[in-house]
Amino acid sequence: MSGSNKKSVYEVGSSSLAVEMKNSLKFEEDDERRRNSGKSASVSGQNVSYPVELTPGELNIKGHDYFVKGDYKEALSFFDKAIASWPGNGPLHCNRAAALIGLMRYTEARKEFEEAIRLAPTYVQPRKPLGLLLLCLGQVENAREHLFSLGQKPDQATLQKLQAVAEHINKCTDARKLEDWTTMLKEAKAATTSGADSSPQLCACQAEASLKLHQLKDAEMWIYKARMYEPSATASQSNFFGMLSEAYIYFVQAQIDSALGKFDDARTAIERAARIDLQSAEVTDKLKNMRLVGKARILGNEHFHSKRYAQACTAYGEGLLLDSSNSVLYYNRANCCFKLGEWEKSLADSNRALLFRPQYTKALYLKAASNIKLERWADAVRDYEILRQELPNNEEVAENLSHARVELKKSHREGDGKVELVSDVEKFQAVIASGESVVYFNELSNPECIWMSSVMDTLSVKYRSVIFLKVDVEQSPAIAAAENITAVPKFNLYKDGSRVMDKGTATSGELELLIKDTLIDPI
């Protein structure tokens, strides 16, 4: 292609890599070969016959036209045909790499660039886009090698991007050594946004940090993204956190599967990581650890099914000594404690299971049941309210919720009249949903608020059928925000979870009148 028809393959690429490498590859065609359509020529010492219908150059042009339209699959088919006719043409391999990048087939694209370089070692053109591709994949040193090869020097924007990605990956590595998961997550994201936006290893890095921060849903999302990328033979030889890059992805996958209770999947993933990198002490240690945890779980299950709950507790506990973030082992031990009537221990282990796996319905169910056994009615109401949303047709959940609500109201009627201080949003919502409630929003540092607390205490003794709550907005900003509290003191009156009245500063008599007229004997 000559003159104004000579274009860059990357001018209209839709992928971020294509945009990133815009104008770095030129779309080329040999004019003389186009003129000699249908004839044979010598390529690398071999006679090559072109099809009568289309020459390699014409196939190349059609491939470019489809590329411009964003139809990378069709573009690839024409580049394939062109290469089949003229396999020794380096620019054709570069153009095929462009189409593969559009299809996010990065490993194959890399091979095409490398083939173009093999065909012509002194050919400069493929080296910059290959360097940019490697940078997007997070392979900084490999990218640097190509961007600075054959006397080249990258432009200032590319150089800054290379330096930024390298700096963030180094900080990410340091943070992981210190187990500073917040910083690790931050730096991995920064490396991604700085230019390594197609790196499976950085996706896995964000997955591991999210897992350690108890953000299991995010961890699942990031490891899914990491696994979307096809493995690269050359990438697997690069190093990430002291282990081969591909092994690191399976290493993280194993941890996530373990946290989800997918023990067989976790074992498969860590065994695959070990096959890729037997030299990594971290991988081999994790493999040994997971095998021992698996044995502890199997032993615990055997004891549990034989109703030897104390022995099962011990077995699960041994597993937790090896893996202190395993939500399933915490749940299993909590279940044993529940069977043994050790409600406090059951509650504690249920909470630990939920800490590592917030959406663990079975653990929440056990937590709610433990709270009922401990007669912690407000906590039980809160737990069963959440369960009701997840299991709307579960009759047992509905019955237990009703029972907990009745007992919560009874406990307030029979109590000493003291006002309960609430700081948890879910507990607050559960309590006000249980019946008529008066909530006093205050600040402990405010003298006027302290005086009004004594008024609330007096009224709570007098009106036992009403639930009286106190919320310190400094300690519980989430509740204040949910209830739109912008100034204190403030009184809100609720009926069956809905606010029916709000009042700023009020005398004892005014507040009592509001309670009578709004909650006790509404007109």
Side-chain angles (χ1 to χ4, degrees), residues 361-498:
T361 302
K362 290 169 70 175
L364 180 59
Y365 203 106
L366 192 56
K367 178 189 175 188
S370 299
N371 275 321
I372 280 191
K373 292 291 186 181
L374 292 165
E375 298 185 358
R376 294 176 183 169
W377 306 116
D379 291 331
V381 168
R382 174 194 57 195
D383 295 337
Y384 280 117
E385 283 280 11
I386 298 171
L387 284 168
R388 188 178 64 168
Q389 294 176 9
E390 297 180 9
L391 307 168
N393 299 319
N394 189 299
E395 293 182 4
E396 187 175 355
V397 168
E399 289 174 3
N400 287 337
L401 175 58
S402 178
H403 171 65
R405 282 175 170 172
V406 169
E407 293 298 329
L408 177 62
K409 291 186 73 172
K410 188 189 299 183
S411 68
H412 279 280
R413 289 197 301 269
E414 296 173 354
D416 58 8
K418 292 297 182 182
V419 181
E420 183 177 359
L421 179 65
V422 180
S423 58
D424 180 86
V425 175
E426 292 175 348
K427 184 174 180 178
F428 170 82
Q429 292 172 342
V431 173
I432 65 172
S434 300
E436 294 78 13
S437 311
V438 177
V439 183
Y440 176 44
F441 295 92
N442 65 88
E443 291 176 344
L444 292 177
S445 58
N446 187 327
E448 184 179 6
C449 293
I450 295 172
W451 176 80
M452 287 304 299
S453 291
S454 64
V455 173
M456 287 280 286
D457 288 339
T458 301
L459 293 173
S460 67
V461 173
K462 192 171 183 179
Y463 298 100
R464 296 294 183 89
S465 64
V466 177
I467 299 170
F468 286 81
L469 301 175
K470 183 165 56 179
V471 175
D472 182 350
V473 297
E474 292 178 327
Q475 294 180 359
S476 310
I479 298 178
E483 298 303 307
N484 197 28
I485 303 301
T486 57
V488 292
K490 181 76 174 290
F491 297 93
N492 281 0
L493 279 65
Y494 298 86
K495 201 163 189 175
D496 298 325
S498 298

Side-chain angles (χ1 to χ4, degrees), residues 5 7 56 133 149 229 243 246 386 400 433 450 457 507 521:
N5 290 327
K7 302 177 183 178
L133 171 60
S149 63
Y229 295 97
M243 67 185 83
E246 191 180 347
I386 298 171
N400 287 337
I450 295 172
D457 288 339
T507 65
D521 188 22

Side-chain angles (χ1 to χ4, degrees), residues 138-152:
Q139 299 177 36
V140 176
E141 292 309 314
N142 290 337
R144 192 189 305 276
E145 178 185 342
H146 288 284
L147 289 169
F148 284 90
S149 63
L150 300 178
Q152 293 184 102

